[in-house]
Amino acid sequence: MTKTRRGFRAVAALAAAGALSLGLSGCTKFDTTSPSSARKAGAGDARSAGRFGTVDCRKVKCVALTFDAGPSENSPRLLDILKDKKVPATFFLLGKNHIAAHPELVERMAREGHELANHTWDHKILTKIDDAQVRAEFKRVDDAVEKLTGKRPTLMRPPQGRTNDHISKLAKEEGLAQVLWDVTTKDYTTTDSALIQKRAVEATKRDSIILLHDIYKGTVPAVPGIIDTLKQKGYVFVTVPQLLAPGKAEPGKIYRP
């Protein structure tokens, strides 16, 4: 895991200016759909919010906690926290050295009501590899998660948030919608849990999708404070599919607050 973390820190350094800026700078263009727009489009569809209770995000202030690049040795503690606080999360799982190394944690995540999603197999930058490689990055994770849980992922997060219309087309072929974020704690740059908590709380607004990584030392200890403080502010935690309900994530689309 040390080698894996170093690799992620190197990757994160390249994105320190903010991966989402890629979609706004003119270098890479793609259309996104907000959670509120998805809800409006899906109005009239009957949907259950799942095992954590029925939540109508049209009526309450919802936010989604999302964790990238796990599972890891830190995931059991995180799952204990989420279970204790009755908070669902969306896990964008990485294949190599993660799903493959911790299949029992993938099973536990599913069993405890969390949403399991795709973060590719090798964390390759999708816009820099060929179509066959992109398809393999998607399919290997989907196959592995389905084998372990019986359910195939419907959501994907591209490494570093780097995507374009062509990646959307390939994702659609695999039945995947892409999910980006609006709140990043930059937990790949610090082990200061108080700082991670502060960044998350200060940036969060209604419909926020919060990006965290449970592979880093400072992240999991920050989660209880993030949850408690945001609950005090009136926020309700949901999975990404719950955030979009009564809309439903459509393969090939990109969702971002």
Side-chain angles (χ1 to χ4, degrees):
M1 287 304 300
T2 300
K3 183 177 180 180
T4 302
R5 286 199 194 94
R6 287 174 180 168
F8 272 103
R9 290 188 188 281
V11 167
L14 295 174
L20 288 183
S21 65
L22 293 168
L24 303 174
S25 66
C27 297
T28 303
K29 295 183 178 180
F30 49 83
D31 294 325
T32 64
T33 300
S34 69
S36 60
S37 295
R39 292 196 295 266
K40 289 177 183 177
D45 291 344
R47 275 176 62 94
S48 168
R51 65 167 291 182
F52 289 92
T54 300
V55 176
D56 188 342
C57 294
R58 297 169 298 182
K59 299 178 180 178
V60 299
K61 295 196 303 182
C62 292
V63 293
L65 277 181
T66 68
F67 296 89
D68 282 13
S72 74
E73 71 271 17
N74 300 320
S75 299
R77 182 180 177 192
L78 173 59
L79 290 169
D80 288 344
I81 292 168
L82 296 175
K83 185 176 182 179
D84 178 64
K85 295 185 177 295
K86 295 181 171 58
V87 166
T90 302
F91 288 92
F92 290 88
L93 303 176
L94 196 61
K96 186 178 181 180
N97 297 326
H98 295 274
I99 294 174
H102 303 285
E104 75 288 351
L105 293 178
V106 176
E107 294 172 337
R108 180 181 172 187
M109 289 170 179
R111 187 170 62 250
E112 295 185 357
H114 303 290
E115 184 72 20
L116 304 190
N118 189 322
H119 195 45
T120 74
W121 190 263
D122 291 299
H123 205 264
K124 293 176 180 176
I125 303 305
L126 300 177
T127 54
K128 294 185 177 182
I129 58 179
D130 64 36
D131 288 6
Q133 290 175 298
V134 172
R135 291 187 178 100
E137 288 289 309
F138 294 160
K139 189 175 186 302
R140 290 184 72 183
V141 171
D142 287 351
D143 287 350
V145 172
E146 185 176 31
K147 183 177 180 180
L148 289 168
T149 69
K151 183 179 178 183
R152 200 167 185 83
T154 60
L155 306 177
M156 183 274 289
R157 177 168 284 162
Q160 293 187 22
R162 294 177 183 245
T163 190
N164 56 32
D165 290 338
H166 186 64
I167 299 302
S168 293
K169 176 178 177 291
L170 297 176
K172 184 176 182 179
E173 292 176 5
E174 181 62 22
L176 295 168
Q178 296 184 72
V179 178
L180 301 181
W181 63 91
D182 65 314
V183 176
T184 176
T185 63
K186 296 184 179 180
D187 53 356
Y188 47 81
T189 66
T190 181
T191 59
D192 186 339
S193 299
L195 177 59
I196 293 169
Q197 176 184 328
K198 181 175 183 289
R199 287 172 174 172
V201 169
E202 289 183 348
T204 295
K205 60 184 184 300
R206 184 173 185 173
D207 286 348
S208 278
I209 298 175
I210 303 169
L211 170 64
L212 296 161
H213 301 78
D214 56 323
I215 60 172
Y216 297 128
K217 183 178 179 180
T219 301
V220 173
V223 171
I226 292 171
I227 291 172
D228 291 345
T229 305
L230 290 178
K231 280 186 175 181
Q232 290 170 6
K233 291 176 176 287
Y235 290 101
V236 177
F237 290 91
V238 295
T239 64
V240 170
Q242 289 172 306
L243 188 65
L244 306 182
K248 187 175 181 180
E250 297 181 29
K253 283 193 173 184
I254 302 173
Y255 294 88
R256 178 174 65 188

